[in-house]
Amino acid sequence: MSEGTYQRLWEASHVTLQELLDREQPLLEPVPDRERRSFQYRLSALYLHYLGLLRQFDMVYDQMVQPQKRRLLRRLLDGVAGRVLELKDELVRADLCESHCLDRVLQDLKLTPADLEVPIPKYFLLEQSSTMKERGLMLAEILSRMEPQTAEDIFPGIHRTEAIILVQKVERARQGRLRATFMREIRKEEEKDRKIQEDGQRKFSQDQAAVTIQKVWKGYLQRKRTQQDRQTEMEFIGMLPSPNQVEHLCIIARACHGEDIRRLRQLEKEEEFQLAMVKAHNSLTETEGPDMKEKMKEQIRQWFIECHALTGRFPDYPDESLGGSYLIFADKTPEQVRLELEMQVQESKKKEPSKEKEKNEQKKKKKKGKEEKSKKGDADTMLQVLPSKSAPVINVGHEEYINLWKTRNESVHPSQNFDSETLREEKRKEVEMEIRVQVDELMRQELKNLRLAVDREEGRPLKAPKKKAGKKMGKKEKDLTPDRSLDSLYEELVIFGLLKKSEAVALKDYVGDCLYLGSTLSLANKLPMPSLFDIRQNIALYGVLRLGSPDIHAMAPLIRSILLVGPPGMGKKMLVKAVCTETGANLFDLSPDNLKGKYPGKAGAQMVVHMVFKVARLLQPSVIWIGNAEKNFYKKVPKEEREMDPKRIKKDLTKALRLLNPGDRVMLIGTTARPQLAEMKGLCKVYERILFMPRPDYASRYVLWKHMIEAQGVQVTQGLDISALAKVSDGYMPGHILQAIQSVLNERRLLQLSQRPLVASEFLGHLAKLDPVYKEEEESLKDWYFKTPLGKKSMKLSKDQLEAREAQLAKEKRKK
């Protein structure tokens, strides 16, 4: 697409953004619990609109060439992504569930299920490609030094004569099988000819033979024509793939090539812009810097004189942490500045309450606990959106667009060069701030000299307001490896197998369809289970978007850990690898099985957790994976696992997680298939979000079969009944379906496809050999999930709604 197309898309995005900002204000007003459904509907609509806006901003930022516009777009993109994550958190609080039924909202807004897909910004990987290459080379170098087994040790060689005899045996067997097949076909033909001769051939006249041939030919032509019309119609409505895939692929390749060219132009324009920034900074410092410096000095001296005339003494110079001389330049009188400084000192003193008062307050709180709970009962029923961190960022960006770029004539810069006037204005502010710091140092000394000369004051402190605001910082982690370099810690973790190379898995490869009847089920007071599509979206929101950008992570609600709960074969480990692939994150493995025999003892457990979290922070983004997460929280450790001591990192893991702050792009992801064996309290304390992964439904199984068969290079035809396979495979996991497909579609079967098309019955034998997940197993997982804090709230809400509906029906019956 052209530059004008992306410009128009940017303008349309800001029109949508203005509408969304207008809708934000009513949501801040509290809503009673009886209007929960309408509140959920408004939240869902706003969430979907922001998702679409995120998709548009990502497309424009990825292809916009002008460097100054790109900087504004980046702030808007991160702000909208942060707002999407905030709205997701609000939806969880409103629905009391991790998956949401948005089918009715989709229908009302005339959107498709594709609009539910969470877009992953392309700059996540593009902007850190060089860093990822360096890490990959470092990891490959360390692994190469670990002296892996050679091919000679793995595969013992055989003598040349034995190899020739083996090849001869295989070749003779192949020829024998071919000969047997040919003889079988010849015998069939001979048997057919013999039967025809015994029965006697029917004799036709010339006219009868011609009519018979015409019937057969015309019937064949009509059937073929009807089949072609049917296929054309199905392709037109999108029910069948287009046969002309080559042309389609060529169009996509040309579009991708055009996008790559625009990205190269972005790099060129960015280099030009960086050079221009340096030149503008230097020229402004040389030409306007001295005048700025003198003007600031005159203003500060005048302030000294006015304050001395009003108060009889010279003022305290504002500290650098409070803004320095910027307070003086803010168009305020000397009295206002002096009052502000005094108020800040008094506030800082008030924010430091005594320990006795704190203890008394705690006692009062304990005594009045029951009263507060009863009072809070009414407040808890009120639904309200929490204040947003990303909304101010979006507002500032939107105002900058309106003031600077909306009315700008784009024909002035057809080559998408930077705007020199805007650049000089921005750099003038930076130069002014730099000069202000220098002037502050000089004027503090001059103020000191004035006090000595006029008031004869020597020991007066100049930095009176320099006090902390009373916020006590949390306990800092003790560094157990202060003398170790990052490279040495990295190498040690790789050698011990705690830092692994993640396989490249795209999140879109976790295939599944969305739930189309979620709203219908919820209206019937039935709890809809999340589909594979919902699971993929939650991983994109909780894992990928947060780890991809430090700005998004700082704005989004802080989530340090996720637990994936589901039967074996659901693709839990695949999702962990997908998060690492989409964000370029390092993969650390703290699974109990992987820690067996490594770093023994209490000190060893403390050391391994410290090293992993330290390296993970220094090499952000990072994913810390714990497989079989229930073992860290066993109710009772089995005898065969007592030597392994799976619970030894439990306390250190909890402490390390608490030290993660907004901006620390480190995510703990646990996976488990048997959460019933763990202590509920400890597990829910460590893992802030628990995502339940039930068996795939019919729609997801249909998409899985089709996608996995096509991934093997097979074109799905009408002869292959995918619907029957989806029905038969109820209870089987995606991993089971993949095993069955790989067993059937081996190299030999792929070569025979042209002569013998694929049939659904071929998969049944291999599928029958695998053990499905029975309903009893899934029900036990569901029962466990509904005992979690969020599950309890969800069950309570559904129970209350059911009771309210029954009461309403009872009232209606009485009236009748």
Side-chain angles (χ1 to χ4, degrees):
M1 291 190 289
S2 64
E3 192 68 36
T5 305
Y6 291 111
Q7 182 66 31
R8 287 191 293 274
L9 185 60
W10 189 21
E11 293 170 1
S13 301
H14 275 278
V15 173
T16 308
L17 181 59
Q18 184 61 56
E19 295 175 0
L20 295 180
L21 292 173
D22 294 338
R23 289 191 194 179
E24 290 267 6
Q25 197 61 33
L27 286 172
L28 296 174
E29 299 174 2
V31 176
D33 188 61
R34 62 178 178 273
E35 298 180 14
R36 181 181 287 270
R37 289 196 184 279
S38 64
F39 183 75
Q40 290 171 344
Y41 185 89
R42 286 186 292 160
L43 264 182
S44 303
L46 197 64
Y47 170 75
L48 287 176
H49 282 305
Y50 269 110
L51 268 185
L53 197 62
L54 177 62
R55 196 174 292 108
Q56 290 180 1
F57 276 133
D58 178 39
M59 188 188 302
V60 177
Y61 176 73
D62 182 53
Q63 294 298 304
M64 186 71 77
V65 175
Q66 217 267 10
Q68 290 163 309
K69 292 179 183 177
R70 280 176 58 79
R71 279 163 170 73
L72 174 58
L73 275 166
R74 174 63 178 273
R75 296 201 302 274
L76 286 167
L77 177 60
D78 289 345
V80 170
R83 189 60 186 145
V84 166
L85 296 176
E86 288 174 343
L87 288 172
K88 166 66 180 177
D89 197 55
E90 296 292 343
L91 279 172
V92 171
R93 289 197 307 111
D95 293 347
L96 299 177
C97 183
E98 294 291 351
S99 58
H100 316 290
C101 305
L102 303 176
D103 46 315
R104 189 165 66 91
V105 187
L106 276 177
Q107 189 176 0
D108 293 345
L109 297 177
K110 298 182 180 179
L111 301 174
T112 63
D115 295 310
L116 280 173
E117 194 75 44
V118 177
I120 299 171
K122 300 178 186 67
Y123 79 83
F124 283 2
L125 293 177
L126 290 174
E127 293 188 1
Q128 59 174 354
S129 57
S130 58
T131 309
M132 290 169 61
K133 285 180 183 177
E134 290 175 5
R135 289 180 190 171
L137 291 172
M138 190 192 304
L139 188 60
E141 184 185 352
I142 295 169
L143 292 173
S144 65
R145 282 192 264 124
M146 292 172 63
E147 296 180 357
Q149 283 187 329
T150 60
E152 294 178 1
D153 298 333
I154 299 169
F155 303 106
I158 60 174
H159 196 267
R160 184 177 179 181
T161 308
E162 293 177 1
I164 292 171
I165 292 169
L166 183 63
V167 172
Q168 286 177 346
K169 284 181 181 179
V170 174
E171 179 60 24
R172 285 169 185 163
R174 188 187 68 82
Q175 291 179 4
R177 287 192 294 270
L178 284 175
R179 197 179 298 111
T181 305
F182 291 149
M183 292 305 295
R184 197 180 299 114
E185 291 177 358
I186 290 168
R187 288 195 198 97
K188 284 181 181 178
E189 291 293 332
E190 289 176 354
E191 186 69 22
K192 194 185 292 183
D193 293 341
R194 187 179 61 77
K195 285 183 178 180
I196 290 172
Q197 288 175 3
E198 289 176 358
D199 296 341
Q201 294 183 353
R202 185 181 174 187
K203 294 181 180 179
F204 291 98
S205 65
Q206 191 174 1
D207 293 339
Q208 288 175 339
V211 170
T212 304
I213 291 169
Q214 285 176 358
K215 283 180 181 178
V216 173
W217 178 246
K218 287 180 179 178
Y220 167 74
L221 284 177
Q222 187 59 41
R223 284 192 297 275
K224 190 174 181 181
R225 197 177 294 117
T226 304
Q227 188 177 3
Q228 288 177 349
D229 293 342
R230 176 179 171 79
Q231 188 168 358
T232 305
E233 182 182 0
M234 297 295 278
E235 288 171 7
F236 177 73
I237 63 177
M239 296 298 290
L240 287 176
S242 176
N244 195 2
Q245 291 290 338
V246 178
E247 185 180 353
H248 181 64
L249 291 173
C250 289
I251 293 170
I252 293 174
R254 284 200 299 271
C256 292
H257 181 64
E259 290 178 357
D260 292 338
I261 290 172
R262 293 183 69 86
R263 291 191 187 107
L264 291 174
R265 285 188 63 202
Q266 287 174 3
L267 295 175
E268 293 174 3
K269 298 295 181 184
E270 183 63 30
E271 289 177 3
E272 293 176 7
F273 186 63
Q274 292 290 344
L275 291 173
M277 286 169 68
V278 175
K279 289 180 181 177
H281 185 276
N282 294 337
S283 66
L284 285 170
T285 306
E286 292 174 3
T287 57
E288 300 182 14
D291 294 338
M292 288 182 186
K293 200 169 188 178
E294 291 301 322
K295 188 177 179 182
M296 288 179 190
K297 285 181 178 179
E298 289 177 5
Q299 288 178 343
I300 294 170
R301 288 191 187 107
Q302 185 65 28
W303 181 64
F304 289 165
I305 295 167
E306 290 178 2
C307 283
H308 192 273
L310 286 169
T311 61
R313 63 187 181 89
F314 288 108
D316 292 329
Y317 203 91
D319 189 65
E320 191 62 37
S321 61
L322 300 175
S325 59
Y326 181 77
L327 291 174
I328 306 167
F329 301 150
D331 296 331
K332 295 176 183 177
T333 62
E335 290 182 358
Q336 289 175 334
V337 175
R338 182 175 58 80
L339 288 171
E340 280 188 5
L341 292 171
E342 290 176 359
M343 288 294 291
Q344 286 173 359
V345 174
Q346 290 175 4
E347 285 177 5
S348 64
K349 289 179 180 178
K350 287 178 182 178
K351 287 180 181 177
E352 295 179 354
S354 63
K355 293 182 180 179
E356 294 179 0
K357 287 183 179 179
E358 287 181 357
K359 289 180 181 179
N360 293 332
E361 285 177 2
Q362 287 177 1
K363 289 179 181 178
K364 288 178 182 178
K365 284 180 181 178
K366 288 180 181 178
K367 289 178 181 178
K368 296 179 180 179
K370 294 180 181 179
E371 295 178 5
E372 285 179 358
K373 283 182 181 179
S374 60
K375 287 177 182 178
K376 283 181 181 178
D378 300 330
D380 289 340
T381 57
M382 300 298 286
L383 302 171
Q384 188 177 6
V385 174
L386 297 176
S388 171
K389 288 183 182 178
S390 56
V393 177
I394 298 171
N395 278 314
V396 170
H398 184 57
E399 288 174 6
E400 184 179 340
Y401 166 79
I402 292 171
N403 297 330
L404 193 61
W405 299 105
K406 186 178 181 180
T407 57
R408 184 67 60 92
N409 186 10
E410 294 300 323
S411 61
V412 178
H413 302 288
S415 59
Q416 296 303 308
N417 291 327
F418 61 88
D419 187 3
S420 57
E421 293 181 5
T422 308
L423 175 61
R424 286 184 70 85
E425 285 295 326
E426 292 175 359
K427 284 295 164 186
R428 188 174 283 109
K429 293 177 183 177
E430 290 183 14
V431 171
E432 188 176 344
M433 292 297 289
E434 292 174 5
I435 292 173
R436 181 186 62 77
V437 175
Q438 299 172 9
V439 169
D440 284 353
E441 293 178 3
L442 295 172
M443 298 311 291
R444 282 193 184 94
Q445 187 62 38
E446 188 172 327
L447 179 61
K448 186 179 180 181
N449 296 334
L450 280 171
R451 281 176 177 158
L452 285 171
V454 179
D455 296 338
R456 296 182 180 180
E457 295 182 8
E458 292 187 18
R460 189 173 171 186
L462 298 178
K463 298 182 179 179
K466 191 176 181 181
K467 286 187 179 180
K468 291 183 180 178
K471 291 183 180 178
K472 292 185 179 180
M473 300 295 291
K475 291 183 179 179
K476 291 185 178 179
E477 184 183 11
K478 185 181 178 182
D479 193 358
L480 302 178
T481 54
D483 302 329
R484 298 279 302 275
S485 65
L486 176 61
D487 293 340
S488 67
L489 291 172
Y490 187 91
E491 185 174 353
E492 183 177 338
L493 292 175
V494 173
I495 291 170
F496 277 90
L498 300 176
L499 199 157
K500 296 183 175 180
K501 184 179 180 181
S502 176
E503 298 176 21
V505 179
L507 188 61
K508 65 180 180 181
D509 292 338
Y510 192 81
V511 181
D513 208 353
C514 64
L515 189 64
Y516 294 99
L517 296 175
S519 298
T520 308
L521 291 171
S522 60
L523 287 172
N525 288 321
K526 293 182 180 179
L527 290 172
M529 288 291 103
S531 64
L532 299 186
F533 182 88
D534 297 326
I535 295 164
R536 186 173 75 237
Q537 301 317 304
N538 282 333
I539 290 295
L541 290 164
Y542 288 137
V544 179
L545 279 185
R546 279 177 164 82
L547 292 179
S549 167
D551 295 329
I552 296 175
H553 193 281
M555 284 186 283
L558 182 60
I559 293 177
R560 304 179 181 95
S561 52
I562 306 170
L563 180 65
L564 303 178
V565 179
M570 276 299 296
K572 298 184 286 293
K573 192 173 179 181
M574 177 186 176
L575 289 171
V576 175
K577 294 175 182 176
V579 172
C580 296
T581 303
E582 297 291 352
T583 59
N586 301 290
L587 178 61
F588 298 86
D589 187 359
L590 279 180
S591 304
D593 297 329
N594 192 40
L595 289 175
K596 186 177 180 181
K598 301 171 184 176
Y599 297 94
K602 186 177 179 182
Q606 190 177 3
M607 177 62 74
V608 69
V609 172
H610 167 76
M611 286 171 59
V612 166
F613 274 84
K614 181 179 179 179
V615 176
R617 275 202 205 93
L618 294 172
L619 297 178
Q620 299 177 24
S622 299
V623 170
I624 301 170
W625 172 56
I626 298 182
N628 298 323
E630 78 281 354
K631 293 185 178 181
N632 295 136
F633 304 92
Y634 264 144
K635 295 176 183 175
K636 186 178 180 182
V637 181
K639 290 182 180 179
E640 59 272 13
E641 295 184 11
R642 283 179 185 171
E643 291 183 7
M644 185 171 66
D645 191 13
K647 297 174 69 174
R648 63 196 182 103
I649 66 166
K650 176 182 172 181
K651 291 182 180 178
D652 298 306
L653 188 67
T654 309
K655 290 177 185 176
L657 274 175
R658 287 176 188 166
L659 295 170
L660 294 178
N661 299 315
D664 291 336
R665 292 183 292 156
V666 179
M667 179 73 71
L668 175 68
I669 303 180
T671 58
T672 177
R674 301 179 300 165
Q676 306 93 330
L677 303 178
E679 296 175 1
M680 178 67 75
K681 187 177 179 182
L683 196 68
C684 295
K685 189 177 180 182
V686 169
Y687 296 100
E688 299 173 358
R689 288 286 187 270
I690 298 175
L691 303 181
F692 178 55
M693 304 169 69
R695 300 184 301 172
D697 55 2
Y698 169 79
S700 294
R701 291 196 303 274
Y702 184 92
V703 175
L704 276 169
W705 277 105
K706 187 176 180 183
H707 175 79
M708 289 181 177
I709 290 172
E710 289 176 346
Q712 300 293 326
V714 179
Q715 184 67 36
V716 177
T717 59
Q718 292 181 350
L720 181 60
D721 195 350
I722 301 289
S723 179
L725 286 173
K727 288 177 182 176
V728 169
S729 58
D730 187 16
Y732 288 93
M733 302 297 106
H736 298 150
I737 294 172
L738 182 61
Q739 285 181 39
I741 290 171
Q742 289 176 345
S743 301
V744 172
L745 295 176
N746 49 31
E747 292 183 10
R748 186 179 177 189
R749 184 67 185 88
L750 289 172
L751 293 172
Q752 297 173 351
L753 284 174
S754 57
Q755 298 176 355
R756 187 161 60 94
L758 200 61
V759 184
S761 58
E762 296 181 50
F763 298 97
L764 299 181
H766 296 275
L767 203 62
K769 295 176 184 177
L770 302 171
D771 294 328
V773 174
Y774 297 102
K775 286 187 177 180
E776 293 79 10
E777 298 177 47
E778 191 181 20
E779 288 299 324
S780 67
L781 285 174
K782 284 182 185 177
D783 292 340
W784 177 87
Y785 177 74
F786 288 123
K787 291 176 184 175
T788 61
L790 189 64
K792 285 179 181 177
K793 292 178 182 177
S794 179
M795 289 295 289
K796 185 178 181 300
L797 176 65
S798 59
K799 189 178 179 181
D800 292 344
Q801 288 177 348
L802 183 62
E803 289 176 356
R805 181 167 291 186
E806 288 176 355
Q808 188 177 358
L809 290 172
K811 283 183 181 179
E812 289 177 359
K813 284 181 181 179
R814 289 171 188 169
K815 287 180 181 178
K816 288 180 181 179

